[in-house]
Amino acid sequence: MTAADPAPVRTRDTVSAAPGRRPMTVLVVSQALGGAGMAAGMTVGALLAEDLLGSTGLAGLPAALYTGGAAVGAMTVGRVSQHRGRRPGLALGHGAAALGSVGVVAGAAAGWTALLLTALFVYGAGSVTGLLARYAGADLAPPERRGRATGTVLLATTLGAVAGPNLVGPTGAVAAAYGLPRLTGPFLLAAVAYTAACLVLLLWLRPDPMAVARARAAATGPAPPSDRGPAAKKAATVPGPGQARVATGPEETDTDTDTGASRTPNGRPGRRRPSGVVTGATVTISAQLVMIAVMTMTPVHMAAHGHSTQAAGTVIALHVGAMFLPSRLSGSLVDRLGAPPVAVASGVVLLMAGVLAGVLPPQGFAGPAFALVLLGIGWNLALVSGSAMVTEAAPPATAAAVQGQVDVGMSLAGATGGMVSGLTVAGAGYPLLAVAGGVLAVAVIPAVALRGGTGRPLA
């Protein structure tokens, strides 16, 4: 094995480039379970910290912790997936989230702030698995359907993620019945849901999606450039033995179908669309920063204007639904139009969300709900289009590790947004936070996507 060879996925599975529906079905079930757990932190994390710490300015600390933890989790899950396969990597993440959820309940019940905050970090390290699973969905699909496969995995998250916030009241009652703080109820649900998701993956996700992707690459080589996007590249010329020509902008490279390593036409080592990874990462990271900042402080903003915890939970449920429900449509748009137009649309939608969140009267329910639905839609468009750019550009030899690194950036952006959001609201108010977030999104995402993106689909 050479240094350029991908690390073998250690599995006893019989690997086929056409694995059938079972692996995708298992992914969908695990995503639905994980979605219920993920919603807990979004819904009551800030309220729990505000109660325990006694400060609105520190209410964004939980988001900063669990998104900071997600950075560590994304790197770890990405590396484990690269060397051991998607199944152990994703199962490890869900297991960590379950452990963190138990720690949050214990810390809140004991009034031990250090344990609560540490557990939120561990919870975040595991909860990132729900997003990383989108790459496993792409692994299972042929190139022309990867956008829709990515969307299917993200859509499955909606089943649990929408139900989770609406169970704030019932799970709070269960927690209170056992002498626990009511706000720990959603984390009890998260512990059960993440444990179930971990077991589903360990027991039934076969063959491993990473092994399927590598089997397909070995059998067919990289897909040729698509002519469906508005910025599609000219078809590649006939490749040399054992190679497939891929268009990379001003200079094409020949990519070895076994290793993923690339060479320029004169035989010198080359790289496979590195700008595509940077562009896709910038799109997703910018959207994550804006979304986390606005979403984190919306329940606190609503509570300050007389809304109940259940009302705030319903708004977050609508928001989470909007984050994932459009995924199949977003994936189809990327497959048909290419990633840059979809990324541009995301920036515009995020601007609309920020402006409306800042100017609509907070005393009513409809205003915050509508603004956060738009916030979720804009985030979804950015995530799917940015992931398309990353998936296209990442070399097969290091794809899982590269994808994990991109999600590290998303997690760090979320941590920044979560921390800054509380301080901004305490010092300048929620409207300024929301409007500034929208302006940032429309200023960065479209410009980056149009300058460095590719019109090719998720293939």
Side-chain angles (χ1 to χ4, degrees):
M1 179 182 297
T2 67
D5 290 330
V9 175
R10 299 179 184 179
T11 176
R12 297 180 181 178
D13 303 339
T14 299
V15 179
S16 168
R21 295 183 179 180
R22 174 178 168 172
M24 180 61 76
T25 301
V26 172
L27 271 179
V28 166
V29 172
S30 69
Q31 284 296 99
L33 292 168
M38 180 187 68
M42 289 184 174
T43 307
V44 299
L47 297 173
L48 192 60
E50 187 178 27
D51 275 359
L52 195 60
L53 300 174
S55 170
T56 300
L58 294 176
L61 184 59
L65 284 170
Y66 60 68
T67 51
V72 176
M75 180 69 73
T76 303
V77 172
R79 290 189 178 278
V80 172
S81 297
Q82 184 69 47
H83 295 285
R84 305 285 296 185
R86 299 284 188 190
R87 181 172 63 243
L90 297 178
L92 173 66
H94 286 312
L99 178 63
S101 299
V102 172
V104 169
V105 174
W112 191 3
T113 304
L115 175 59
L116 173 70
L117 298 181
T118 301
L120 282 169
F121 186 87
V122 176
Y123 167 83
S127 64
V128 72
T129 306
L131 289 180
L132 283 170
R134 71 192 187 273
Y135 295 117
D139 286 343
L140 292 170
E144 66 275 10
R145 293 203 298 270
R146 284 182 184 160
R148 280 161 284 185
T150 300
T152 298
V153 173
L154 291 173
L155 176 62
T157 309
T158 311
L159 300 176
V162 172
N166 285 309
L167 294 175
V168 169
T171 57
V174 171
Y178 286 92
L180 300 170
R182 295 186 68 89
L183 288 175
T184 63
F187 284 98
L188 290 174
L189 172 64
V192 174
Y194 276 124
T195 299
C198 175
L199 293 175
V200 165
L201 291 172
L202 286 176
L203 294 175
W204 292 301
L205 185 58
R206 291 179 172 82
D208 191 284
M210 179 68 72
V212 172
R214 289 176 178 171
R216 181 179 292 114
T220 64
S226 169
D227 59 0
R228 288 174 288 178
K233 304 292 188 277
K234 184 173 63 177
T237 57
V238 178
Q243 298 173 345
R245 181 67 59 88
V246 293
T248 60
E251 184 179 32
E252 295 180 339
T253 66
D254 290 328
T255 302
D256 190 293
T257 57
D258 295 324
T259 68
S262 60
R263 292 194 298 270
T264 57
N266 62 10
R268 292 177 298 179
R271 292 183 298 173
R272 189 185 178 197
R273 297 191 65 85
S275 62
V277 172
V278 174
T279 301
T282 303
V283 169
T284 56
I285 287 170
S286 300
Q288 181 80 348
L289 172 66
V290 172
M291 186 276 291
I292 290 291
V294 177
M295 179 272 297
T296 297
M297 295 310 298
T298 297
V300 176
H301 182 60
M302 292 179 66
H305 288 84
H307 292 280
S308 67
T309 302
Q310 188 63 44
T314 301
V315 168
I316 296 299
L318 293 171
H319 166 69
V320 174
M323 285 173 63
F324 297 105
L325 277 174
S327 298
R328 283 277 295 183
L329 176 59
S330 299
S332 295
L333 289 174
V334 168
D335 283 342
R336 290 176 177 272
L337 304 176
V342 180
V344 170
S346 75
V348 175
V349 174
L350 288 171
L351 172 65
M352 295 170 57
V355 171
L356 291 176
V359 303
L360 289 177
Q363 292 79 11
F365 175 84
F370 181 59
L372 258 69
V373 165
L374 284 179
L375 184 71
I377 293 172
W379 178 86
N380 180 268
L381 292 169
L383 180 70
V384 175
S385 60
S387 299
M389 298 176 189
V390 173
T391 299
E392 177 189 346
T398 56
V402 169
Q403 291 156 357
Q405 290 167 4
V406 170
D407 279 27
V408 168
M410 287 182 62
S411 300
L412 292 176
T416 302
M419 180 59 71
V420 170
S421 64
L423 298 175
T424 302
V425 169
Y430 177 85
L432 177 63
L433 170 73
V435 173
V439 171
L440 175 65
V442 81
V444 173
I445 295 176
V448 170
L450 291 176
R451 180 178 180 183
T454 172
R456 291 170 58 181
L458 189 61

